[in-house]
Amino acid sequence: MKDHFPTVTTGPLPASRRVWHRGALHADIRVPMREIDLHPTAGEPPVTVYDSSGPYTDPKAGIAIERGLPRLREGWVAARNDTERYAGRHVKPEDNGFAEGTRLTPEFPVRHEPKRAKLGRAVTQMAYARAGIVTPEMEFVAIRENLGRQAARQAQIRDGEAFGAEIPDFITPEFVRDEVAKGRAIIPANINHPELEPMAIGRNFLVKINANIGNSAVTSSMAEEVEKMVWAIRWGADTVMDLSTGRNIHNIRDWIIRNAPVPIGTVPLYQALEKVGGIAEDLSWEVFRDTLIEQAEQGVDYFTIHAGVRLHMIPMTVDRVTGIVSRGGSIMAKWCLHHHRESFLYEHFDEICDIARAYDVSFSLGDGLRPGSIADANDRAQFAELETLGELTQIAWAKDCQVMIEGPGHVPMHKIKANMDKQLAVCGEAPFYTLGPLTTDIAPGYDHITSGIGAAMIGWFGTAMLCYVTPKEHLGLPDRDDVKVGVITYKIAAHAADLAKGHPAARIRDDALSRARFEFRWEDQFNLSLDPETARSMHDETLPKEAHKVAHFCSMCGPKFCSMRISHDIRAEAQKEGMAAMAEKFREGGELYLPLEDAQ
Amino acid sequence: MKDHFPTVTTGPLPASRRVWHRGALHADIRVPMREIDLHPTAGEPPVTVYDSSGPYTDPKAGIAIERGLPRLREGWVAARNDTERYAGRHVKPEDNGFAEGTRLTPEFPVRHEPKRAKLGRAVTQMAYARAGIVTPEMEFVAIRENLGRQAARQAQIRDGEAFGAEIPDFITPEFVRDEVAKGRAIIPANINHPELEPMAIGRNFLVKINANIGNSAVTSSMAEEVEKMVWAIRWGADTVMDLSTGRNIHNIRDWIIRNAPVPIGTVPLYQALEKVGGIAEDLSWEVFRDTLIEQAEQGVDYFTIHAGVRLHMIPMTVDRVTGIVSRGGSIMAKWCLHHHRESFLYEHFDEICDIARAYDVSFSLGDGLRPGSIADANDRAQFAELETLGELTQIAWAKDCQVMIEGPGHVPMHKIKANMDKQLAVCGEAPFYTLGPLTTDIAPGYDHITSGIGAAMIGWFGTAMLCYVTPKEHLGLPDRDDVKVGVITYKIAAHAADLAKGHPAARIRDDALSRARFEFRWEDQFNLSLDPETARSMHDETLPKEAHKVAHFCSMCGPKFCSMRISHDIRAEAQKEGMAAMAEKFREGGELYLPLEDAQ
C-alpha cells in the first residue's frame, strides 16, 4: 500500500455549513457546530445542530488520512505543564498478531512521542475539576452542549419528565467543571489524543451514542475501518469504539486515532488475548499491563475493563439461557475458572488506576455479566457485577480517574427502569452506558430496532450514552451500511430521550422540521432530518421531478387527499371568517361554535 | 386483463407447517397456527406461533386469486338464522371514480349476493355475547390466542407489569364472550366476509398490528394492492386497512376482501369524497350513507368514522404546528367550516350505528384531530375529540355495535402514558388502536423506528392494536418492501409489549430462539425469528458455506473471541470441576468462591 493511502467520505451534508463558536475563558478554542440553512420563504434562521463529524464535512479542510487531523489540543495539554514526553514503548510483532509482509498493515506514517504525567501527578479532567480549574476542554464542552443558543433572560418552561436529572437551561463552563468533579459526567480525553474535539458524557447533558467498529479474524481491513469511523461520525456517532479482534490491532488503531475527532474506546483485553495466541488461560497481569500502556500511549480515550467479573460470580451464570455474552467477560471467566483465582483485573485495579490517571484514560467499567437473552435479564449474576462496579468506581474516583459504567443487554421493557435505579444507587451517579437494551430476542436482522426501543427508554430514565446495535447483531460483522443504519437508529433513540427529559434545546429541530413539513418546504424537511439523502430519495421514488419539491402533496395521498394541504385551506377559510377572532371568542366563552348540547 | 389474473406470494416460511386445532364447542372450526420445526439435536418440540398468513403459506392450498378464499364462516352465519340475502346495491360508475375502458379495474369474477340482518335484529358479536351466546367466532379466537398451549394445572408465575390488564393463563371461549360483551374486546367480522379467520382485538389478548395498503391518485394498481395484502399478512399483519384514495376503489376492494383471511378496515369517507369529485364541501349524509352500505355489502369488517371532529373543535387547531394531519379529519373539518354546521357524521351517528349493527361492521372511531408533530401532542383539540369518542362509544354500545378507539400520532415518550390513562378513563375500556406514536419528528425515512419506540410503549401500557408506520411515512406511498419492514417493526413492538405485560405465552419464542443461538443451531435461530430469510442472508454475507451453519462463531468475533463458544468451554470446565455442586454449595453458603473480602 505504498502511495495508496485510504480515502474516506468527505463533504458537507446538504444545505449545511460547519461553523465555529469561540471560547471566552480560553480565547483559542473554536467549537464546531453545524448550521442547516432553510429556504428564504421560511423566514427562519438556520437551525444549529450538534456535530460530531469533524473536519470531514468541512469543504475547506484538506483531508489526507496519512497526515492525520490537526492536533488542536496539543497546546492546551502543554500549557498545563504537568506532562512530559518520553520515548515510549516500541511496537512488537505480537501487537499486530505477528502479521508480516503484505498481511501487515503499514504503520501510520507520522510518529509522535507519547506524553505521560510527570511523576505523581494526575492529569485527568476530574483532577483539574476538583482543583477548581476550568480547562479548555470543559469550556469547549459547555459551548458545544448549548447548540449555539444564548442564555435566555427568563427561565424556560420545561416540558418533560427528567426522573431527577437536572439539566440547566444554559450550560456554563463552571457547571461542566462541577459535574466532572462529582463524577456525574466524564470528558474522555487522553493527553495523547490531541486531535480530539472534546465532548461530555453525563445524565445532565445531551444523550450521546457510540458506534462500534473494528475488524475480526474473519473479515475487514484498515482502510475499511478508518472509513467506518469517518462514516459513523458523519451520521452522528459521538464516540467510536475500536473493537478489533483480528490482526494488525495496533497499526489499525493508530490510523483510526490519528484521524478521529471523537473519543476512541477499546477493550484492551482483546489485544492482550491476541498476544498470548488466543489462549485465555495464558493471559496475565503483565501482558495486560503492557497492553494498557501501549494503548494509552497511542491515545485511546477510554478502556473497557471487565474487573467486575469475579470468581464467585461465575457459578451464577451456569443456569443462564445464554451464558456469558460479553467477549471480555467470557474470557475473564474462563481465566478465573482455569486458574481457580480471583480476576487479575480486580486484584490489580489500583495499578490500572495508576496507569489511567497518568494519561487521562477514562474507565468504562465493563458489564461482562450482562444478560444476553430476555430470560437472563436482571438476574443475580448481572447485579452482583454491578455492585462490584460500584465499589470499583469509588476506588477509581479516589485516584481522580474518570469512570462510566456499562450496562445491558437484553431486558424486557418492564425491567428497564430497575436497571437505571439500581445503577444510580450503587455507582454514585457515575454515567451509565448501555448496549440497547434489546426488548425481545425474536428478531435477528432487526436488532437495531429491538434495541432502539430499550435504548430510547433507558436514555429517558437517565442513561448518558447508548451503544449502538446494527442490523447485523448476532449474525456477523457490520459493514458500512449497517454502521449507518445503527447510528441513525441510535440518534433517534438519544433524541427521543432528550425530548422526553425536557432538554431545553431538543425540540428546536423537531419544530423546525414540522413547520417545513406543514409548509411543503420539502427540501427543508429533508435537510433538517437525520438522513437527508434517504428522505429525499424515498420521496423521489414516486415523485422525482423538481416541480414535485414544491408540490402540496406527495404520493401517499395525492393532491386531493393531502391533509396538510386541506389544513391550509381550512386556515385560509378561517382567516376569511376571522377564525382567530372566533377562536378567541370561543376561549372567552363566546356562543359561536359551542358544542351542540350547550347551544340548545 | 382477460386471463391474466394477479399472482401473489405463496409458500411456507422456512421449517414451518400450517397446523389446525379443532373446536370443542363447535366441532367444525379449524383454527390455524404455525409450527416451526427445530433440528433434532435440539431435543425440543416444534414452537407454535400465531399465524395470520392465511392459506397462502399452506403448500396444499390451491391459490387462485380470481376465485377467492374458502368461505369458511358462511355456515356459521347461516346457522344463526337472523340474516337474509338480498339483491344488494348495484355498482355505479362513481364507485370506481368514473374509470372506464382499460383504466377500469375488472370486477371480481364471482358475485355473491350480500346478507343483512333480518328486520330489527343486531347481528354483531357483541349482541350475541351479551345474550350469553358463545359463537364459533369466539371459540375460534380463544383457541387461537392460546397458541396451542393446554391449560396448566397450576397458575403460571407471571413476569411482567400489566398496568391493570388481566390476561388469564389460559383463554376460554367464555372469557372471550365476557370481554366482547363488556366491550373490552372486539371481533371484527362482517357477516359478508365469510373468508375471514376470526381474531380479537383487546387489552387482555395478544397485542395486534395493522398494515395499511391502498392506492393513491399518483400510484399503484389492484394487482399490487392484492399482493401487498398477502405480503403484509405473510409477515404478521393481523388486520389490513385498504386506504385507497385513487380510482377503482370499489373493484380493488372486492379483490382484496374476497382474498383476505384477516379483517379489512376502510375509511368510507375517502370513497364518498371521490364520489363528489374530490370537493369536500359537496359531501353529504346521503352520499356517505350510500357508501357505508356499499362497503358493508362487500364485507368490510371495520369502518374508521371521524365523528369526533366537531365544529367547535376546529378553532382549537388554528395554532397548531402541523394543523390536522388526518385525511378524514381534515376533510370533515373543511366541510364543517364551509357549511357552518356540525359534522354530519356526528349528527347522524345513530343511523350509522343502525347500518353497522345490521352487518356487524365494527367502529374504529377516528382520531381526526390527532397530533402530527411533537409540538401538538396532547393538546386541547386532541383530547376534546377523545372525549367525544367516549360519548359515541356509549351510543354505539347501546346498539350492540363493536367499537375501538383510534389514537395518536406524534407523542414524546413522557406524554405517552397519559394518552393511555385518559383513553381508559373516557372510553369505557374500549380497545385502543394507535398510529405509533412517533416519539420524534426528525427522522423521515426512519419513521417505522421513531414510531416503533412509541408503539412498543403504548402497547405495554394497554393499547390493543398498533397501526404500523413504514419507512415511507411522510414521503410517499409504501411499496411492498416498505410494507414488510413496517410489519416486522410492528411485530417487534407488539411482542415486546406482550413480554412486558407478562403475557403467559410470550417468552416461549424468545427462549427457544436464545437456546438455539447459544447452542449454535444457526438454522433454528433463523427459522424462529420474525424474518428468517433476512437473518440467514445477513449471516451468509460473510459466512456463506453450509459448514458455517454449524460453526461455533460468526464473523462478528471469529472463532477465538466468540463469547458463546467460550461460555460452553466454561460450562464444560465447570462440569469437570463439579461446578453445579460448587454452585449449590455457594448458594447454601459454602466457603468456596466467596468474595475475597469475605474470605479473609
Side-chain angles (χ1 to χ4, degrees), chain A residues 207-219:
Chain A
V207 178
K208 306 304 190 303
I209 72 168
N210 173 73
N212 289 332
I213 64 168
N215 70 2
S216 75
V218 178
T219 186

Side-chain angles (χ1 to χ4, degrees), chain B residues 156-466:
Chain B
Q156 294 192 228
I157 300 166
R158 292 300 182 88
D159 184 0
E161 168 54 71
F163 292 107
E166 289 167 330
I167 305 164
D169 282 351
F170 188 76
I171 306 272
T172 60
E174 170 57 26
F175 177 79
V176 176
R177 186 205 62 72
D178 189 53
E179 289 285 293
V180 173
K182 289 187 164 90
R184 272 213 299 248
I186 66 172
I187 300 176
N190 186 324
I191 57 176
N192 289 315
H193 186 192
E195 301 88 346
L196 172 72
E197 294 172 350
M199 55 80 76
I201 300 169
R203 186 172 169 220
N204 293 329
F205 298 88
L206 291 162
V207 178
K208 307 303 191 301
I209 72 167
N210 173 72
N212 290 331
I213 64 168
N215 71 0
S216 75
V218 178
T219 186
S220 204
S221 67
M222 179 273 282
E224 286 171 87
E225 293 307 316
V226 173
E227 163 62 4
K228 269 188 209 170
M229 179 274 290
V230 172
W231 189 238
I233 65 177
R234 179 181 185 81
W235 298 109
D238 295 291
T239 82
V240 167
M241 289 195 82
D242 173 8
L243 302 184
S244 292
T245 59
R247 284 191 183 168
N248 295 298
I249 294 179
H250 183 104
N251 289 3
I252 288 179
R253 189 167 46 241
D254 267 338
W255 285 89
I256 290 173
I257 297 182
R258 300 285 66 87
N259 286 288
V262 298
I264 297 297
T266 64
V267 185
L269 194 66
Y270 299 167
Q271 194 175 13
L273 186 67
E274 278 290 299
K275 289 176 181 175
V276 298
I279 313 294
E281 298 86 328
D282 291 351
L283 284 166
S284 67
W285 163 241
E286 289 70 33
V287 166
F288 189 76
R289 182 184 183 283
D290 175 66
T291 306
L292 290 180
I293 290 170
E294 169 195 352
Q295 299 197 3
E297 289 182 353
Q298 284 181 295
V300 171
D301 301 288
Y302 64 92
F303 289 149
T304 291
I305 308 283
H306 294 93
V309 178
R310 298 180 54 194
L311 182 57
H312 74 278
M313 297 173 192
I314 301 164
M316 300 177 197
T317 67
V318 157
D319 292 329
R320 281 183 155 188
V321 173
T322 40
I324 297 172
V325 299
S326 152
R327 290 168 176 167
S330 64
I331 291 164
M332 287 310 298
K334 191 169 189 194
W335 187 92
C336 291
L337 212 58
H338 176 85
H339 292 283
H340 288 263
R341 285 183 53 188
E342 184 60 280
S343 154
F344 62 83
L345 296 178
Y346 182 80
E347 291 196 326
H348 291 273
F349 192 69
D350 270 348
E351 293 155 84
I352 299 175
C353 290
D354 289 336
I355 295 169
R357 76 202 299 265
Y359 298 90
D360 197 5
V361 183
S362 296
F363 286 121
S364 186
L365 294 180
D367 56 337
L369 301 185
R370 68 176 175 271
S373 51
I374 293 298
D376 296 341
N378 290 22
D379 77 349
R380 189 177 190 192
Q382 177 189 342
F383 285 145
E385 181 183 42
L386 183 62
E387 280 162 19
T388 297
L389 300 189
E391 300 167 25
L392 295 172
T393 300
Q394 298 300 326
I395 295 170
W397 281 351
K399 299 206 164 203
D400 289 330
C401 295
Q402 305 195 76
V403 177
M404 61 182 171
I405 308 290
E406 291 184 6
H410 289 232
V411 183
M413 289 191 287
H414 67 294
K415 292 185 174 177
I416 292 179
K417 183 111 195 325
N419 278 274
M420 190 70 228
D421 294 342
K422 202 167 174 68
Q423 190 269 344
L424 281 169
V426 163
C427 299
E429 291 189 275
F432 206 18
Y433 169 33
T434 60
L435 179 62
L438 285 71
T439 51
T440 170
D441 302 340
I442 70 170
Y446 297 80
D447 279 321
H448 54 305
I449 300 179
T450 62
S451 69
I453 293 167
M457 291 173 67
I458 211 169
W460 175 24
F461 300 151
T463 290
M465 187 154 77
L466 308 169

Side-chain angles (χ1 to χ4, degrees), chain B residues 71 74-86 88 112-118 123 190-192 296-297 358-359:
Chain B
R71 295 166 71 82
E74 208 153 46
W76 308 350
V77 173
R80 293 197 266 265
N81 210 24
D82 53 6
T83 54
E84 61 193 16
R85 280 208 182 281
Y86 67 111
H112 303 274
E113 281 192 331
K115 302 197 88 173
R116 68 185 165 200
K118 288 177 177 166
V123 296
N190 186 324
I191 57 176
N192 289 315
E297 289 182 353
Y359 298 90

